[in-house]
Amino acid sequence: MRRRDRIYLWLRDHPLVVDSAFALTLFVLVGLTGWPVLIDPQFMSAGSSALWAVSTGLDRLLATVGAPVVTAGLTLPLALRRVRPVWCGGLVAATAIVQWALALPIQGAQIGVLVALHGLAAYAPRWASRGGLALGMAGALMVGVRYFTFVDDVLIVFVGITALVLAAWALGDLQRVRRQQLEALRDRARRLEVEREQEARLAAADERARIAREMHDVVAHSLSIVIAQADGGRYASDSDPKAAVRACETISQTGRAALTDMRQLLGVLRTDDGASRAPTPGLAEMEELIAAVRDSGLDVGFTTMGEPREVSSGVGLTAYRIVQEALTNVMKHAGPDARADVRLDWTPAGLMIAVVDDGRGAAADSALKDEPQGGSGHGIPGMTERAALYGGKLQAGPVPGGGFAVRAHLPYPSGERMRR
């Protein structure tokens, strides 16, 4: 920040210090010049030299003693011009009224009246601002009547002082409007900053939830395959060593793929531009998912019905994760010798997804026991949350006669084109 800007900010943040220095400087300047008299009522109202000679010593003494007092009353309260504008205007107005009542000379310190009026218009409440304007205009007439005899002189003085009063009040009112505009802009900037912070926190929370879902999908699916292959390889190691070798190869490939996905997800957390490197599989990778599950030992059938459409990457990722999570639950809960069927049906109303197995039928209870309720991004609540995010629905439950079924409906976004 430049020095000039720092000085400006300091002056703006310390109005009492600045106004006190201004009031004291004005008092000293007027005092050093001997409280110059602008209008002497004794001279202006004198009809002849005889009346001038009649003036008493008491009047002269009052004028001599009252001049510095009036100067102090008109200048020193200006220290409160911005911090206590009503008090400042009241003290200056009281001094001017006493000066008028005692017929003390009009002097250069009367500029304090205009400065106080400006402070009322700029910083005081509206009632005080308007009251100060009315009192200033009344004072213009009172000065003319008190200090001048001829009507023409009274009118000239009234018009001149009224013009000064209106000018001082108008400048103060304009400053009030400008200050209110600046305060409104600063308030808006503060609110926008708060809103940006809130949006950033919400975006961060949403990103953490998304990453949590991805982490769960990657870890749960990969570990399910690893566990299934490890168990199968251990049981087949005595009778079929080649099967054990194949199981080890599958475990190695699954572990490497999971490690790659984990690194990409952690890259999202470490860098701002890592989102582009996050794993975003979709419908195109569905067959690879089915093949990987088959390699793990689960018999999976895959059927596609209807005319495929182009969908957004979010919808494709949601469909992929629903099928992945459903097959993971089958491997975890359906038991040995289970079979699953995956079906994608491209209907006019949307994409229908069905994953049905013929296992023990306890997948729902186990899944709900293992995963927290409320859609935290895991298990069946996580699949439901994913489907609802794109306006879809998901139903999961045991099948009569044995088995478990997961059925989801994902509507097409508006404006999707048919893909041949």
Side-chain angles (χ1 to χ4, degrees):
M1 183 182 297
R2 294 179 299 179
R3 180 180 300 177
R4 183 176 61 184
D5 296 334
R6 289 196 297 268
I7 294 175
Y8 169 76
L9 292 176
W10 188 89
L11 294 177
R12 187 193 66 182
D13 296 336
H14 299 81
L16 182 60
V17 177
V18 176
D19 292 339
S20 298
F22 169 74
L24 185 60
T25 302
L26 183 60
F27 174 77
V28 172
L29 290 177
V30 176
L32 290 178
T33 55
W35 296 283
V37 175
L38 302 179
I39 301 176
D40 192 334
Q42 296 178 353
F43 174 77
M44 299 303 298
S45 61
S48 63
S49 59
L51 292 177
W52 173 262
V54 179
S55 58
T56 63
L58 182 60
D59 293 334
R60 292 182 179 276
L61 179 62
L62 184 60
T64 303
V65 176
V69 177
V70 170
T71 300
L74 294 177
T75 57
L76 295 183
L78 298 179
L80 306 175
R81 184 176 65 93
R82 283 184 286 180
V83 295
R84 292 291 187 272
V86 177
W87 281 76
C88 173
L91 292 174
V92 172
T95 302
I97 292 174
V98 172
Q99 178 188 13
W100 176 86
L102 298 178
L104 297 177
I106 302 297
Q107 51 185 283
Q110 306 298 142
I111 191 175
V113 177
L114 299 177
V115 177
L117 179 61
H118 177 277
L120 286 174
Y123 304 104
R126 276 296 182 184
W127 65 267
S129 173
R130 294 168 181 171
L133 175 62
L135 188 59
M137 297 182 67
L141 180 61
M142 293 167 61
V143 168
V145 174
R146 179 68 166 175
Y147 293 92
F148 294 89
T149 303
F150 300 104
V151 177
D152 294 341
D153 296 337
V154 173
L155 292 177
I156 293 174
V157 172
F158 173 74
V159 172
I161 297 178
T162 300
L164 294 176
V165 168
L166 290 175
W169 186 87
L171 290 176
D173 195 64
L174 288 176
Q175 185 172 350
R176 173 198 295 272
V177 173
R178 181 176 179 273
R179 191 183 74 256
Q180 290 176 347
Q181 291 176 346
L182 292 177
E183 290 177 355
L185 291 176
R186 284 194 289 266
D187 182 68
R188 181 181 179 185
R190 286 193 296 268
R191 286 189 285 105
L192 290 176
E193 184 177 357
V194 171
E195 291 177 1
R196 283 195 297 268
E197 292 177 356
Q198 292 177 347
E199 291 176 356
R201 287 194 294 267
L202 291 175
D206 182 71
E207 184 67 11
R208 287 194 297 269
R210 187 187 70 83
I211 293 174
R213 289 194 297 264
E214 298 292 333
M215 293 279 286
H216 171 266
D217 294 336
V218 170
V219 173
H221 177 71
S222 301
L223 288 181
S224 297
I225 294 178
V226 168
I227 293 172
Q229 290 294 320
D231 292 340
R234 183 182 60 184
Y235 296 143
S237 59
D238 296 334
S239 60
D240 190 358
K242 293 184 178 179
V245 173
R246 289 195 301 270
C248 291
E249 292 177 351
T250 302
I251 292 173
S252 176
Q253 294 174 358
T254 304
R256 288 192 179 94
L259 181 61
T260 301
D261 291 343
M262 290 287 292
R263 286 175 176 173
Q264 290 175 332
L265 285 172
L266 294 178
V268 175
L269 298 176
R270 287 195 297 264
T271 59
D272 294 335
D273 57 350
S276 60
R277 296 182 282 114
T280 55
L283 294 173
E285 290 75 24
M286 191 68 71
E287 294 184 358
E288 297 180 6
L289 172 64
I290 301 299
V293 175
R294 286 171 180 165
D295 293 340
S296 67
L298 178 65
D299 186 10
V300 183
F302 180 52
T303 307
T304 301
M305 302 293 292
E307 184 78 13
R309 298 193 180 196
E310 291 183 359
V311 295
S312 63
S313 58
V315 174
L317 176 62
T318 298
Y320 182 92
R321 292 306 188 194
I322 289 175
V323 174
Q324 183 185 50
E325 181 66 26
L327 292 178
T328 300
N329 287 338
V330 172
M331 289 187 292
K332 291 168 59 178
H333 306 292
D337 301 328
R339 186 181 188 280
D341 289 314
V342 178
R343 177 172 176 175
L344 301 181
D345 192 358
W346 298 89
T347 67
L351 175 61
M352 306 297 295
I353 303 172
V355 180
V356 183
D357 67 79
D358 57 358
R360 293 178 301 191
D365 297 336
S366 300
L368 291 177
K369 289 178 182 178
D370 293 342
E371 308 297 347
Q373 295 287 341
S376 61
H378 308 308
I380 294 176
M383 291 188 289
T384 305
E385 178 182 328
R386 285 184 180 274
L389 185 62
Y390 292 94
K393 297 180 180 179
L394 185 138
Q395 295 179 347
V399 177
F404 193 80
V406 175
R407 295 183 174 86
H409 168 243
L410 300 178
Y412 303 128
S414 61
E416 293 288 358
R417 299 173 298 171
M418 293 293 293
R419 186 178 63 183
R420 296 294 181 183

